[in-house]
Amino acid sequence: MDYPIRVLIVNGKMICGGVEAFIMNIYRHIDRTKVQFDFLVHYKERFFYDDEIEKLGGKIYRLSFRNDKNFFKYKHDLNKFFKEHKEYSIVWGHMDGLAAIYMRSAKKNGIKTTIAHAHITSAERSLKGLVKRFLRKKISKYADLRFACSTEAGKYLYGKNEFKIIPNAIEIARFKFNKNIRDKIRLQYKWDNKIVLGHVGRFNDQKNHKFLIEIFKRLLDINDQYYLCLCGDGENRQSIEKQISDMNLNDKVLLMGNIANVNELYQAFDLFLMPSLYEGLPVSGIEAQASGLNCIFSDTITHEVALLPDKVKFISLSQSSDTWADIINSTVGYDRIDTTEIIKNAGYDIIDESFNLQSFFTRIQ
């Protein structure tokens, strides 16, 4: 067998998001002398992880479908790509909305193994969402293997077809609670006497930032020492900034954008919040628990994320922002504990999972 085996990752764009963080976690820790990742993306522009991918030895191929929206050109470009790139025997698709199309093209052009990976449990309610739901029904026809981040994500994407759970593993040691880092960050941002609520997620409809800001406003009515830190970026950032300004919260909410040291921010938080409309299994939820934080999730998020049941609560999105605020206010203030062994034993250690996937790719080559 010739090494390294080159696995083609298919994704929309390598932004700073949960799916992309999972892919990069695996990529950084896999033995790249044995398995190397290359990337087929759907935008012409460069994005957050592109530089790192290239430094790690990965190639990035760019299609223009998301820029020009030309479906017939897209099919032509896919066929041309797979005809010209016979070095790939494995295609690992993380872009489920178009998976049936690019996997069909891959199989048509002789790709040995196509793998679909489910990361979500729902879709946006729009015409675009309807088209995606229609296309997703055909995934199992063209996917030789089916992966999912959670049971609910797998059932959503594959129905009654069998699938394999691949944990959204993380580099646990980076997130282990460290009081020195906590003190440093809280001093840096002048959070000494604040109750800091943290959220890590892309600014899009799925993450439900609008409701999060409404909850936070109610919390300030209870205690004006609350502070909200939002890490991430995305298409809804401008509208959320306007909401924050309109509600006179500019001095109470910090928007961090995409940052490299998010692991240190977790140390400084007092509680982690995620009122998402839906999730497959959020990487940030695992990271928050690895740092020993109490977490509050919406009940639309799979309960499989609760690796530490005593430190996790789920609240229905049908509950008012007042109810959310009351529950949050009664939850903050618990001591931080070292949770790293629990996270590791649950199967979320990136070292173990990278080795498992490396062995898997070698076997199916």
Side-chain angles (χ1 to χ4, degrees):
M1 184 183 297
D2 294 331
Y3 289 111
I5 299 165
R6 300 199 83 92
V7 175
L8 184 69
I9 305 290
V10 183
N11 198 47
K13 50 189 174 183
M14 292 306 293
I15 57 174
C16 187
V19 173
E20 294 75 19
F22 163 76
I23 296 169
M24 294 304 296
N25 279 340
I26 297 295
Y27 190 27
R28 294 181 191 113
H29 293 87
I30 208 163
D31 183 346
R32 293 185 297 280
T33 66
K34 294 184 177 178
V35 178
Q36 175 62 251
F37 289 173
D38 293 330
F39 294 76
L40 180 64
V41 297
H42 287 65
Y43 289 82
K44 292 180 288 188
E45 299 88 353
R46 294 183 68 83
F47 289 96
F48 187 81
Y49 285 118
D50 288 10
D51 288 347
E52 183 180 1
I53 287 169
E54 291 170 346
K55 286 178 182 176
L56 293 174
K59 301 172 184 175
I60 304 174
Y61 304 99
R62 304 178 194 280
L63 299 182
S64 60
F65 178 62
R66 286 293 183 85
N67 297 102
D68 56 37
K69 303 292 193 299
N70 188 327
F71 179 74
F72 297 103
K73 180 178 180 295
Y74 177 53
K75 292 181 70 174
H76 174 269
D77 290 348
L78 283 171
N79 281 320
K80 184 174 185 290
F81 176 85
F82 286 116
K83 281 178 183 177
E84 293 176 351
H85 293 277
K86 298 299 184 182
E87 66 270 33
Y88 300 109
S89 60
I90 301 170
V91 171
W92 187 9
H94 297 268
M95 189 182 184
D96 55 38
L98 294 171
I101 299 170
Y102 62 74
M103 287 185 180
R104 181 177 183 274
S105 180
K107 296 305 293 183
K108 175 183 174 182
N109 288 283
I111 297 295
K112 179 183 175 183
T113 305
T114 52
I115 306 170
H117 200 128
H119 291 281
I120 62 171
T121 57
S122 186
E124 60 266 44
R125 296 180 180 180
S126 63
L127 179 59
K128 181 179 176 182
L130 285 172
V131 173
K132 284 184 176 181
R133 279 194 286 273
F134 172 75
L135 291 172
R136 286 181 183 125
K137 291 180 180 179
K138 300 179 181 246
I139 287 179
S140 291
K141 181 177 180 180
Y142 301 110
D144 297 307
L145 298 170
R146 292 170 290 273
F147 289 174
C149 65
S150 68
T151 302
E152 290 183 26
K155 289 180 177 178
Y156 170 73
L157 195 59
Y158 310 124
K160 295 181 179 179
N161 292 293
E162 292 185 357
F163 56 88
K164 177 181 176 63
I165 299 292
I166 305 295
N168 281 348
I170 64 170
E171 191 176 345
I172 297 173
R174 288 185 68 234
F175 297 92
K176 180 179 179 179
F177 179 64
N178 184 311
K179 189 176 185 302
N180 291 332
I181 293 176
R182 176 181 171 84
D183 291 344
K184 179 191 76 171
I185 296 296
R186 290 179 72 90
L187 181 63
Q188 177 182 345
Y189 290 104
K190 300 179 180 179
W191 290 344
D192 295 358
N193 300 312
K194 306 294 184 183
I195 306 170
V196 183
L197 308 176
H199 174 83
V200 178
R202 182 166 168 74
F203 279 70
N204 59 16
D205 292 344
Q206 173 191 345
K207 300 299 182 181
N208 208 12
H209 285 85
K210 183 176 183 295
F211 184 53
L212 177 57
I213 302 301
E214 292 172 3
I215 294 167
F216 180 65
K217 178 68 171 177
R218 299 295 183 271
L219 275 164
L220 290 174
D221 294 335
I222 298 172
N223 185 340
D224 66 2
Q225 294 304 301
Y226 277 106
Y227 199 89
L228 180 62
C229 180
L230 303 176
C231 301
D233 208 343
E235 59 268 23
N236 287 357
R237 177 165 176 166
Q238 189 172 359
S239 65
I240 296 303
E241 288 177 339
K242 183 177 186 306
Q243 180 188 9
I244 291 168
S245 179
D246 290 346
M247 298 175 78
N248 298 314
L249 298 175
N250 287 319
D251 61 341
K252 292 288 188 177
V253 181
L254 178 62
L255 280 71
M256 297 292 294
N258 293 326
I259 55 172
N261 68 328
V262 68
N263 57 308
E264 295 186 338
L265 267 295
Y266 284 114
Q267 313 300 319
F269 295 160
D270 295 302
L271 186 75
F272 181 78
L273 293 176
M274 181 167 272
S276 299
L277 300 178
Y278 56 89
E279 295 278 352
L281 193 148
V283 173
S284 56
I286 304 300
E287 294 171 345
Q289 290 175 83
S291 71
L293 276 168
N294 289 328
C295 301
I296 293 183
F297 300 106
S298 55
D299 68 351
T300 54
I301 298 175
T302 174
H303 284 41
E304 292 170 80
V305 74
L307 305 184
L308 304 164
D310 292 341
K311 295 182 73 63
V312 172
K313 291 182 180 179
F314 293 91
I315 309 176
S316 172
L317 289 176
S318 65
Q319 296 291 335
S320 68
S321 55
D322 288 321
T323 299
W324 273 73
D326 288 338
I327 295 172
I328 291 167
N329 190 56
S330 68
T331 304
V332 295
Y334 291 92
D335 292 335
R336 301 284 278 270
I337 60 173
D338 182 354
T339 62
T340 51
E341 274 304 304
I342 299 172
I343 305 299
K344 178 179 173 61
N345 292 336
Y348 286 83
D349 185 348
I350 194 63
I351 306 300
D352 295 340
E353 191 52 39
S354 295
F355 180 78
N356 291 340
L357 282 168
Q358 174 185 308
S359 300
F360 178 80
F361 291 136
T362 303
R363 288 197 306 272
I364 67 172
Q365 168 66 12

